[in-house]
Amino acid sequence: MAMTERDELVRSLSGLALFADLGDPDLEAIADPEWERSFAAGERVLRRGLSGGGLFVILDGEAAVEIPDEREPRRLRRGDFFGEVSTLLVCKPTADVVARTELHCLEIPGPQLEGFLLQYPHVTFRMLQTVTRRLRDLLE
Amino acid sequence: MAPGGDERPFPPGDYPVVVVGSGPGGLQASYCLSRLGVEHAVVSADEAPGGMFRLYPIFERLLSWSKPDAPAEKGTRAYEWFDHNSLLAEEPGCSALVPQLMDRSFMVPSRDEMERGMAAFAARAGVSVRYGCRWEGTARADDGRLVLTTSDGEYRCRAAVFALGVTTPWKSPIPGIEEVPHYVETRSPPDYRGRRVFVVGKRNSGFEIADGLLPWARQVILGSPRPVQTSVIALATVRVRYLQPYEDHALGGGTFALDLAVERIERTGEGWRVVGQGTTRSGAVDLAVDDVIAATGFSTPLGDLPALGVRTVAQGRIPALTPFWESAPGSGIYFAGNATQGAPGLRKHGVGAASAAVHGFRYNARVMAGHLAATHLGMQTRRERVPSDRLVPFLLEEATSAPELWTQKSYLARAVSADGETGIVPLAAWLDDPGGLSTAVAVEMDAGGTVYPAVYVASGGDFREHLLPPQHLNDFRGPEYERELRAAL
């Protein structure tokens, strides 16, 4: 029996800043196997121009945001999230996100994101902090 | 006859491809390979075809429909949408077999009808299997070929198709659950008469147990961390099993479906103690019950395949697969059947594919066979052609009635090249590499359950997505759609 696998998923989530305020019952509720996604190195995770994607949180591995005409792709690592703009605004992504290594993510489907963020306001607050930090970095 | 009087087919040796398993996934994969002229062996540890349907579901009734009478004629491609349980065949007399064996008590077949349907398919479609031959181990030879060790000897092949099912009882890691009987160990319903039963899990098998025990048990309580998605159940054929216990829960009939993170399960003399914390509603839960059943699902019996690089998802239960259901590009380790859910596709709007069910994975098998033959054996599979003046109506006809597209929404697509060559492709793979097929059409569904056609046009290493509007009767043919599709192309 894969006794440690579930522990690892819950433990993995509990170690992320985004979920730091949640207790084990909440983490178990979030650790939905249907939300777990695994990508091989080189695989596209988010596709520019494709509607209907979700919010991805990296559990393990590394990805890169590839925007046309931008020379240096932005690196994403464990704990980073992406897809929030297209999911929250219900629009098509303007960049590709490609797995740089084997990549393990949690994908919260777009239609379920609103309910998720309302159910876990601490996660929403920490997400808002991150998005605000990204905005500040862009403006500086 | 082989030496020793063994009349079984496929003795150990060298084959281009070996298929492991004789459930619906293995039978469909073998049939599709044969149609393409791919020489292969099929081995199975079982003694007869049918796979998991030889034993389950415990309460004998499947969830997916087969309509003996339907708006489309049996044996036609359009009829496949009304028959989710038969395997696919092109020869007359080999397709739509399950509804012909149903007694019409229900619109869904019984386990026995399903098992007989699989056996009838193997017999009529001529799918030969070496039964009683257990796959025991796998290695990679120096020449790159796979070596499958079995109870009968070694098989060498360039590619293997593992149709193992998702069949090994799996339990979530809750302290104390080791002693709890799994779904497969559920006793006869009268044994639960007058007893208070806790079922760990609120998915198909949990509700199946709850439904089966409702006429017998004093009380049934189901518990798992995530809430039941009532909006999904209402639209899914699983409501056959979900509805009665969930109605009982909703109306206060004594059954409870709790959103509960179970922390531990303890034996207490003749009974059990279940301790946990509420998830959607906080608070401690401490229950004394007579029986506990772990309806926590199954895993794929992968054996030693992880040592050959097969990654897993879903807490180690399912192999992680490429869009063509291979463990890694070029590995030659393919999967058929229920485990093809390990290739999740795009999951647009959170809508998953039907790859865990016969009506989904039977189409996966056909596409996989073509891909395997082309990439590992260098065989060019013949594609149909559509005259250029018929292209637009053809694509709209496909969006309206192609069973592959309707079953595998935003997962399988009809793709065509500029000169009319056409085939069914995994959409996720096509978006990254159209392979000369310049346009793809898929059927998609948004979060509200509205179905619409999606058109993708390849363009300079990229693609453009065009979503066509929905139609009340899901009929996407006619001048308005033709105009819109022409504009998109």
Side-chain angles (χ1 to χ4, degrees):
Chain A
M1 188 171 77
M3 284 291 286
T4 58
E5 297 286 348
R6 175 70 165 275
D7 286 340
E8 279 171 13
L9 186 56
V10 172
R11 201 183 309 124
S12 182
L13 290 172
S14 70
L16 301 182
L18 197 59
F19 301 119
D21 307 296
L22 302 185
D24 268 6
D26 286 334
L27 292 171
E28 282 205 35
I30 293 169
D32 185 339
E34 289 195 4
W35 287 5
E36 197 187 346
R37 301 288 302 272
S38 176
F39 301 90
E43 216 176 319
R44 271 206 283 184
V45 183
L46 203 68
R47 291 171 172 85
R48 190 160 54 96
L50 186 74
S51 64
L55 171 77
F56 291 81
V57 182
I58 298 181
L59 301 172
D60 268 311
E62 203 174 292
V65 184
E66 296 182 354
I67 302 173
D69 305 326
E70 275 204 12
R71 241 180 270 162
E72 192 60 41
R74 185 159 60 92
R75 293 293 178 102
L76 299 168
R77 297 179 176 84
R78 172 172 159 76
D80 288 337
F81 57 84
F82 57 92
E84 76 282 1
V85 175
S86 52
T87 313
L88 289 169
L89 302 181
V90 194
C91 60
K92 294 176 182 178
T94 52
D96 283 328
V97 175
V98 179
R100 281 292 171 100
T101 63
E102 200 175 295
L103 188 70
H104 191 199
C105 295
L106 194 76
E107 182 190 5
I108 303 164
Q112 289 167 46
L113 185 62
E114 182 182 349
F116 177 86
L117 294 177
L118 292 174
Q119 192 177 354
Y120 303 107
H122 285 106
V123 177
T124 311
F125 179 74
R126 284 180 179 266
M127 231 178 105
L128 191 59
Q129 281 182 318
T130 305
V131 171
T132 308
R133 211 172 287 128
R134 286 180 194 167
L135 187 62
R136 183 195 63 192
D137 292 348
L138 271 177
L139 295 174
E140 276 178 356
Chain B
M1 187 184 296
D6 190 343
E7 293 182 8
R8 293 177 300 163
F10 311 128
D14 287 13
Y15 296 86
V17 178
V18 174
V19 177
V20 181
S22 57
L27 298 177
Q28 188 69 74
S30 172
Y31 173 84
C32 295
L33 290 167
S34 294
R35 284 288 306 181
L36 297 172
V38 175
E39 188 193 346
H40 64 282
V42 188
V43 300
S44 171
D46 289 344
E47 297 299 332
M52 214 172 176
F53 294 115
R54 299 177 69 227
L55 298 170
Y56 308 115
I58 287 177
F59 288 95
E60 296 279 333
R61 189 60 62 180
L62 271 66
L63 301 170
S64 47
W65 73 44
S66 280
K67 301 181 180 183
D69 275 301
E73 282 297 312
K74 282 195 191 71
T76 62
R77 189 164 163 246
Y79 179 75
E80 292 167 15
W81 173 243
F82 301 98
D83 173 17
H84 283 192
N85 298 295
S86 299
L87 297 178
L88 305 174
E90 289 170 43
E91 300 81 357
C94 296
S95 62
L97 295 179
V98 171
Q100 296 176 46
L101 296 164
M102 289 167 62
D103 68 6
R104 298 201 185 209
S105 303
F106 294 90
M107 196 179 76
V108 296
S110 68
R111 184 207 58 74
D112 174 63
E113 289 163 349
M114 187 66 177
E115 184 187 358
R116 286 191 286 126
M118 296 300 112
F121 178 85
R124 294 196 200 180
V127 178
S128 296
V129 179
R130 184 176 183 85
Y131 292 108
C133 176
R134 181 177 295 279
W135 161 64
E136 294 173 339
T138 326
R140 178 85 65 186
D142 290 341
D143 63 2
R145 287 194 301 168
L146 292 164
V147 182
L148 274 58
T149 310
T150 74
S151 51
D152 289 354
E154 275 189 4
Y155 290 79
R156 286 172 180 265
C157 54
R158 286 150 82 172
V161 181
F162 291 93
L164 308 166
V166 181
T167 50
T168 302
W170 183 87
K171 291 180 184 173
S172 43
I174 298 166
I177 203 168
E178 301 86 352
E179 287 189 51
V180 171
H182 188 267
Y183 162 88
V184 302
E185 298 164 300
T186 304
R187 304 189 305 270
S188 166
D191 285 356
Y192 296 90
R193 183 179 198 146
R195 295 173 74 84
R196 193 179 195 210
V197 182
F198 184 86
V199 179
V200 187
K202 298 203 299 288
R203 297 180 67 83
N204 292 3
S205 61
F207 274 92
E208 182 204 331
I209 294 292
D211 185 71
L213 297 187
L214 270 186
W216 296 95
R218 178 161 58 98
Q219 185 175 40
V220 179
I221 302 170
L222 302 102
S224 65
R226 284 171 288 282
V228 175
Q229 292 182 5
T230 47
S231 59
V232 174
I233 292 168
L235 293 172
T237 45
V238 291
R239 69 185 175 276
V240 175
R241 284 290 178 210
Y242 276 76
L243 201 62
Q244 190 68 50
Y246 199 78
E247 179 191 289
D248 204 67
H249 159 81
L251 299 180
T255 300
F256 285 95
L258 302 179
D259 301 334
L260 178 69
V262 180
E263 293 173 343
R264 64 181 191 278
I265 302 170
E266 299 168 0
R267 289 257 24 173
T268 55
E270 293 296 303
W272 300 81
R273 184 180 174 208
V274 179
V275 179
Q277 291 286 332
T279 56
T280 53
R281 188 193 298 171
S282 62
V285 176
D286 192 336
L287 297 167
V289 295
D290 300 309
D291 293 285
V292 182
I293 300 169
T296 42
F298 295 84
S299 63
T300 309
L302 290 172
D304 59 358
L305 290 175
L308 266 73
V310 174
R311 296 175 299 126
T312 59
V313 288
Q315 299 160 34
R317 293 188 294 138
I318 308 287
L321 303 177
T322 71
F324 284 103
W325 308 283
E326 196 175 8
S327 70
S331 70
I333 300 173
Y334 286 85
F335 286 82
N338 196 335
T340 59
Q341 63 185 287
L346 304 172
R347 294 188 69 90
K348 288 184 79 172
H349 308 290
V351 176
S355 298
V358 171
H359 65 289
F361 66 63
R362 63 189 181 183
Y363 298 111
N364 297 350
R366 196 152 61 188
V367 178
M368 179 274 296
H371 179 76
L372 185 160
T375 54
H376 292 273
L377 306 174
M379 297 170 69
Q380 285 312 307
T381 53
R382 199 169 55 83
R383 283 190 166 133
E384 299 167 62
R385 279 188 182 275
V386 186
S388 57
D389 61 330
R390 290 287 309 147
L391 182 61
V392 166
F394 169 75
L395 290 176
L396 293 172
E397 179 71 41
E398 286 288 287
T400 300
S401 63
E404 300 93 331
L405 310 194
W406 270 83
T407 303
Q408 297 290 52
K409 292 186 180 69
S410 63
Y411 191 78
L412 294 181
R414 164 65 69 180
V416 290
S417 68
D419 63 356
E421 200 178 322
T422 178
I424 299 288
V425 296
L427 182 57
W430 182 89
L431 290 173
D432 291 340
D433 179 11
L437 301 170
S438 52
T439 305
V441 169
V443 174
E444 300 187 349
M445 185 163 73
D446 68 17
T450 300
V451 175
Y452 58 89
V455 183
Y456 299 91
V457 181
S459 154
D462 218 331
F463 64 87
R464 295 193 317 273
E465 176 196 78
H466 303 270
L467 308 182
L468 301 185
Q471 200 268 350
H472 289 297
L473 298 176
N474 296 325
D475 188 341
F476 310 119
R477 297 166 295 188
E480 282 182 31
Y481 279 99
E482 289 190 9
R483 219 172 8 254
E484 190 140 354
L485 180 54
R486 281 204 175 87
L489 298 179

